[in-house]
Amino acid sequence: MPPASPSVQQPYYRRGHLTRAVIEGVAQYHRVQLDRVLASGADVGDRPWRLAGGGARSTVWAQIFADVLGRPVGRQLTSELGARGVASLLP
């Protein structure tokens, strides 16, 4: 069997390509869910949406979400958001 050519041995797509594809896939999934919510007649408002957690640290992630969803997206960079949310519900 002849050896593989260099173009076959070296993948064209790098880790960054795969990472971006995953982010875009997640954003597209959220778009599908948003479309379902809107189709139900629910009002989602005009305020910017907030990203939280590890993905919120990336400006690229936020921009991809904004582009796919067609609405402004902000980043929530504080920690322990779950605990803060529960604390806000306490009397």
Side-chain angles (χ1 to χ4, degrees), residues 31 34 37-38 41-50 69-73:
R31 178 64 201 207
L34 172 61
V37 169
L38 293 173
D43 178 24
V44 295
D46 292 330
R47 296 185 337 189
W49 287 18
R50 307 296 293 176
L69 297 176
R71 54 188 311 121
V73 173

PDB file of all heavy atoms in Angstrom, residues 31 34 37-38 41-50 69-73:
ATOM      1  N   ARG A  31     -31.205  28.801  19.200  1.00  0.00           N
ATOM      2  CA  ARG A  31     -32.061  29.492  18.234  1.00  0.00           C
ATOM      3  C   ARG A  31     -33.326  28.682  17.949  1.00  0.00           C
ATOM      4  O   ARG A  31     -34.428  29.222  17.870  1.00  0.00           O
ATOM      5  CB  ARG A  31     -31.293  29.755  16.931  1.00  0.00           C
ATOM      6  CG  ARG A  31     -32.104  30.423  15.854  1.00  0.00           C
ATOM      7  CD  ARG A  31     -32.518  31.782  16.316  1.00  0.00           C
ATOM      8  NE  ARG A  31     -33.665  32.259  15.578  1.00  0.00           N
ATOM      9  CZ  ARG A  31     -33.927  33.522  15.397  1.00  0.00           C
ATOM     10  NH1 ARG A  31     -33.135  34.447  15.898  1.00  0.00           N
ATOM     11  NH2 ARG A  31     -34.987  33.892  14.744  1.00  0.00           N
ATOM     12  N   LEU A  34     -35.531  29.130  20.900  1.00  0.00           N
ATOM     13  CA  LEU A  34     -36.112  30.471  20.880  1.00  0.00           C
ATOM     14  C   LEU A  34     -37.257  30.536  19.884  1.00  0.00           C
ATOM     15  O   LEU A  34     -38.319  31.100  20.182  1.00  0.00           O
ATOM     16  CB  LEU A  34     -35.048  31.505  20.530  1.00  0.00           C
ATOM     17  CG  LEU A  34     -35.553  32.929  20.298  1.00  0.00           C
ATOM     18  CD1 LEU A  34     -36.231  33.490  21.544  1.00  0.00           C
ATOM     19  CD2 LEU A  34     -34.409  33.831  19.850  1.00  0.00           C
ATOM     20  N   VAL A  37     -40.295  28.981  21.424  1.00  0.00           N
ATOM     21  CA  VAL A  37     -40.896  29.857  22.439  1.00  0.00           C
ATOM     22  C   VAL A  37     -41.686  30.973  21.767  1.00  0.00           C
ATOM     23  O   VAL A  37     -42.817  31.273  22.144  1.00  0.00           O
ATOM     24  CB  VAL A  37     -39.812  30.430  23.379  1.00  0.00           C
ATOM     25  CG1 VAL A  37     -40.364  31.537  24.255  1.00  0.00           C
ATOM     26  CG2 VAL A  37     -39.217  29.321  24.241  1.00  0.00           C
ATOM     27  N   LEU A  38     -41.100  31.588  20.746  1.00  0.00           N
ATOM     28  CA  LEU A  38     -41.781  32.670  20.034  1.00  0.00           C
ATOM     29  C   LEU A  38     -43.030  32.165  19.320  1.00  0.00           C
ATOM     30  O   LEU A  38     -44.052  32.853  19.271  1.00  0.00           O
ATOM     31  CB  LEU A  38     -40.830  33.332  19.053  1.00  0.00           C
ATOM     32  CG  LEU A  38     -39.655  34.104  19.682  1.00  0.00           C
ATOM     33  CD1 LEU A  38     -38.689  34.569  18.599  1.00  0.00           C
ATOM     34  CD2 LEU A  38     -40.157  35.260  20.520  1.00  0.00           C
ATOM     35  N   GLY A  41     -46.198  32.116  21.217  1.00  0.00           N
ATOM     36  CA  GLY A  41     -46.809  33.400  21.534  1.00  0.00           C
ATOM     37  C   GLY A  41     -46.208  34.095  22.733  1.00  0.00           C
ATOM     38  O   GLY A  41     -46.668  35.161  23.136  1.00  0.00           O
ATOM     39  N   ALA A  42     -45.196  33.503  23.334  1.00  0.00           N
ATOM     40  CA  ALA A  42     -44.566  34.103  24.508  1.00  0.00           C
ATOM     41  C   ALA A  42     -43.789  35.356  24.107  1.00  0.00           C
ATOM     42  O   ALA A  42     -43.242  35.441  23.012  1.00  0.00           O
ATOM     43  CB  ALA A  42     -43.628  33.104  25.176  1.00  0.00           C
ATOM     44  N   ASP A  43     -43.751  36.312  25.012  1.00  0.00           N
ATOM     45  CA  ASP A  43     -42.997  37.543  24.795  1.00  0.00           C
ATOM     46  C   ASP A  43     -41.659  37.412  25.523  1.00  0.00           C
ATOM     47  O   ASP A  43     -41.627  37.225  26.738  1.00  0.00           O
ATOM     48  CB  ASP A  43     -43.774  38.738  25.333  1.00  0.00           C
ATOM     49  CG  ASP A  43     -43.029  40.043  25.172  1.00  0.00           C
ATOM     50  OD1 ASP A  43     -42.160  40.130  24.288  1.00  0.00           O
ATOM     51  OD2 ASP A  43     -43.319  40.984  25.935  1.00  0.00           O
ATOM     52  N   VAL A  44     -40.576  37.504  24.792  1.00  0.00           N
ATOM     53  CA  VAL A  44     -39.256  37.364  25.409  1.00  0.00           C
ATOM     54  C   VAL A  44     -38.610  38.720  25.687  1.00  0.00           C
ATOM     55  O   VAL A  44     -37.512  38.777  26.225  1.00  0.00           O
ATOM     56  CB  VAL A  44     -38.319  36.490  24.544  1.00  0.00           C
ATOM     57  CG1 VAL A  44     -38.836  35.072  24.469  1.00  0.00           C
ATOM     58  CG2 VAL A  44     -38.143  37.080  23.166  1.00  0.00           C
ATOM     59  N   GLY A  45     -39.289  39.792  25.334  1.00  0.00           N
ATOM     60  CA  GLY A  45     -38.779  41.127  25.626  1.00  0.00           C
ATOM     61  C   GLY A  45     -37.660  41.541  24.699  1.00  0.00           C
ATOM     62  O   GLY A  45     -37.207  40.779  23.845  1.00  0.00           O
ATOM     63  N   ASP A  46     -37.225  42.768  24.876  1.00  0.00           N
ATOM     64  CA  ASP A  46     -36.182  43.334  24.024  1.00  0.00           C
ATOM     65  C   ASP A  46     -34.862  43.551  24.747  1.00  0.00           C
ATOM     66  O   ASP A  46     -33.903  44.028  24.153  1.00  0.00           O
ATOM     67  CB  ASP A  46     -36.648  44.685  23.461  1.00  0.00           C
ATOM     68  CG  ASP A  46     -37.796  44.518  22.489  1.00  0.00           C
ATOM     69  OD1 ASP A  46     -37.856  43.468  21.830  1.00  0.00           O
ATOM     70  OD2 ASP A  46     -38.624  45.440  22.396  1.00  0.00           O
ATOM     71  N   ARG A  47     -34.826  43.248  26.028  1.00  0.00           N
ATOM     72  CA  ARG A  47     -33.586  43.469  26.778  1.00  0.00           C
ATOM     73  C   ARG A  47     -32.503  42.495  26.317  1.00  0.00           C
ATOM     74  O   ARG A  47     -32.808  41.399  25.838  1.00  0.00           O
ATOM     75  CB  ARG A  47     -33.832  43.288  28.270  1.00  0.00           C
ATOM     76  CG  ARG A  47     -34.794  44.313  28.823  1.00  0.00           C
ATOM     77  CD  ARG A  47     -34.961  44.238  30.309  1.00  0.00           C
ATOM     78  NE  ARG A  47     -34.633  42.939  30.881  1.00  0.00           N
ATOM     79  CZ  ARG A  47     -34.874  42.606  32.122  1.00  0.00           C
ATOM     80  NH1 ARG A  47     -35.450  43.437  32.928  1.00  0.00           N
ATOM     81  NH2 ARG A  47     -34.547  41.421  32.580  1.00  0.00           N
ATOM     82  N   PRO A  48     -31.244  42.873  26.475  1.00  0.00           N
ATOM     83  CA  PRO A  48     -30.156  41.946  26.102  1.00  0.00           C
ATOM     84  C   PRO A  48     -30.225  40.665  26.933  1.00  0.00           C
ATOM     85  O   PRO A  48     -30.566  40.697  28.102  1.00  0.00           O
ATOM     86  CB  PRO A  48     -28.884  42.727  26.432  1.00  0.00           C
ATOM     87  CG  PRO A  48     -29.294  44.150  26.462  1.00  0.00           C
ATOM     88  CD  PRO A  48     -30.727  44.167  26.911  1.00  0.00           C
ATOM     89  N   TRP A  49     -29.904  39.570  26.299  1.00  0.00           N
ATOM     90  CA  TRP A  49     -29.832  38.309  27.006  1.00  0.00           C
ATOM     91  C   TRP A  49     -28.476  38.208  27.673  1.00  0.00           C
ATOM     92  O   TRP A  49     -27.504  38.821  27.246  1.00  0.00           O
ATOM     93  CB  TRP A  49     -30.047  37.152  26.042  1.00  0.00           C
ATOM     94  CG  TRP A  49     -31.480  37.041  25.614  1.00  0.00           C
ATOM     95  CD1 TRP A  49     -32.443  37.996  25.712  1.00  0.00           C
ATOM     96  CD2 TRP A  49     -32.093  35.918  25.033  1.00  0.00           C
ATOM     97  NE1 TRP A  49     -33.617  37.534  25.226  1.00  0.00           N
ATOM     98  CE2 TRP A  49     -33.442  36.257  24.792  1.00  0.00           C
ATOM     99  CE3 TRP A  49     -31.649  34.665  24.676  1.00  0.00           C
ATOM    100  CZ2 TRP A  49     -34.335  35.368  24.222  1.00  0.00           C
ATOM    101  CZ3 TRP A  49     -32.544  33.787  24.100  1.00  0.00           C
ATOM    102  CH2 TRP A  49     -33.871  34.128  23.889  1.00  0.00           C
ATOM    103  N   ARG A  50     -28.376  37.419  28.733  1.00  0.00           N
ATOM    104  CA  ARG A  50     -27.144  37.289  29.497  1.00  0.00           C
ATOM    105  C   ARG A  50     -26.600  35.867  29.380  1.00  0.00           C
ATOM    106  O   ARG A  50     -27.336  34.900  29.517  1.00  0.00           O
ATOM    107  CB  ARG A  50     -27.386  37.603  30.971  1.00  0.00           C
ATOM    108  CG  ARG A  50     -28.058  38.929  31.253  1.00  0.00           C
ATOM    109  CD  ARG A  50     -27.258  40.106  30.842  1.00  0.00           C
ATOM    110  NE  ARG A  50     -26.069  40.228  31.662  1.00  0.00           N
ATOM    111  CZ  ARG A  50     -25.139  41.140  31.456  1.00  0.00           C
ATOM    112  NH1 ARG A  50     -25.245  41.989  30.469  1.00  0.00           N
ATOM    113  NH2 ARG A  50     -24.087  41.208  32.221  1.00  0.00           N
ATOM    114  N   LEU A  69     -28.734  34.427  17.390  1.00  0.00           N
ATOM    115  CA  LEU A  69     -30.040  34.743  17.956  1.00  0.00           C
ATOM    116  C   LEU A  69     -30.628  36.029  17.402  1.00  0.00           C
ATOM    117  O   LEU A  69     -31.825  36.277  17.535  1.00  0.00           O
ATOM    118  CB  LEU A  69     -29.951  34.823  19.482  1.00  0.00           C
ATOM    119  CG  LEU A  69     -29.561  33.533  20.198  1.00  0.00           C
ATOM    120  CD1 LEU A  69     -29.421  33.777  21.689  1.00  0.00           C
ATOM    121  CD2 LEU A  69     -30.568  32.431  19.926  1.00  0.00           C
ATOM    122  N   GLY A  70     -29.784  36.866  16.816  1.00  0.00           N
ATOM    123  CA  GLY A  70     -30.268  38.117  16.262  1.00  0.00           C
ATOM    124  C   GLY A  70     -30.698  39.108  17.316  1.00  0.00           C
ATOM    125  O   GLY A  70     -31.612  39.897  17.112  1.00  0.00           O
ATOM    126  N   ARG A  71     -30.035  39.074  18.450  1.00  0.00           N
ATOM    127  CA  ARG A  71     -30.363  39.991  19.539  1.00  0.00           C
ATOM    128  C   ARG A  71     -29.114  40.249  20.368  1.00  0.00           C
ATOM    129  O   ARG A  71     -28.175  39.454  20.324  1.00  0.00           O
ATOM    130  CB  ARG A  71     -31.495  39.446  20.401  1.00  0.00           C
ATOM    131  CG  ARG A  71     -31.283  38.076  20.950  1.00  0.00           C
ATOM    132  CD  ARG A  71     -32.520  37.501  21.635  1.00  0.00           C
ATOM    133  NE  ARG A  71     -33.108  38.409  22.582  1.00  0.00           N
ATOM    134  CZ  ARG A  71     -34.369  38.856  22.508  1.00  0.00           C
ATOM    135  NH1 ARG A  71     -35.148  38.457  21.544  1.00  0.00           N
ATOM    136  NH2 ARG A  71     -34.835  39.678  23.407  1.00  0.00           N
ATOM    137  N   PRO A  72     -29.081  41.360  21.118  1.00  0.00           N
ATOM    138  CA  PRO A  72     -27.887  41.649  21.909  1.00  0.00           C
ATOM    139  C   PRO A  72     -27.698  40.632  23.037  1.00  0.00           C
ATOM    140  O   PRO A  72     -28.678  40.149  23.613  1.00  0.00           O
ATOM    141  CB  PRO A  72     -28.148  43.047  22.475  1.00  0.00           C
ATOM    142  CG  PRO A  72     -29.601  43.291  22.319  1.00  0.00           C
ATOM    143  CD  PRO A  72     -30.098  42.399  21.229  1.00  0.00           C
ATOM    144  N   VAL A  73     -26.465  40.310  23.296  1.00  0.00           N
ATOM    145  CA  VAL A  73     -26.114  39.353  24.347  1.00  0.00           C
ATOM    146  C   VAL A  73     -25.025  39.965  25.212  1.00  0.00           C
ATOM    147  O   VAL A  73     -24.020  40.455  24.701  1.00  0.00           O
ATOM    148  CB  VAL A  73     -25.615  38.019  23.735  1.00  0.00           C
ATOM    149  CG1 VAL A  73     -25.085  37.096  24.812  1.00  0.00           C
ATOM    150  CG2 VAL A  73     -26.723  37.336  22.956  1.00  0.00           C
TER     151      VAL A  73
END
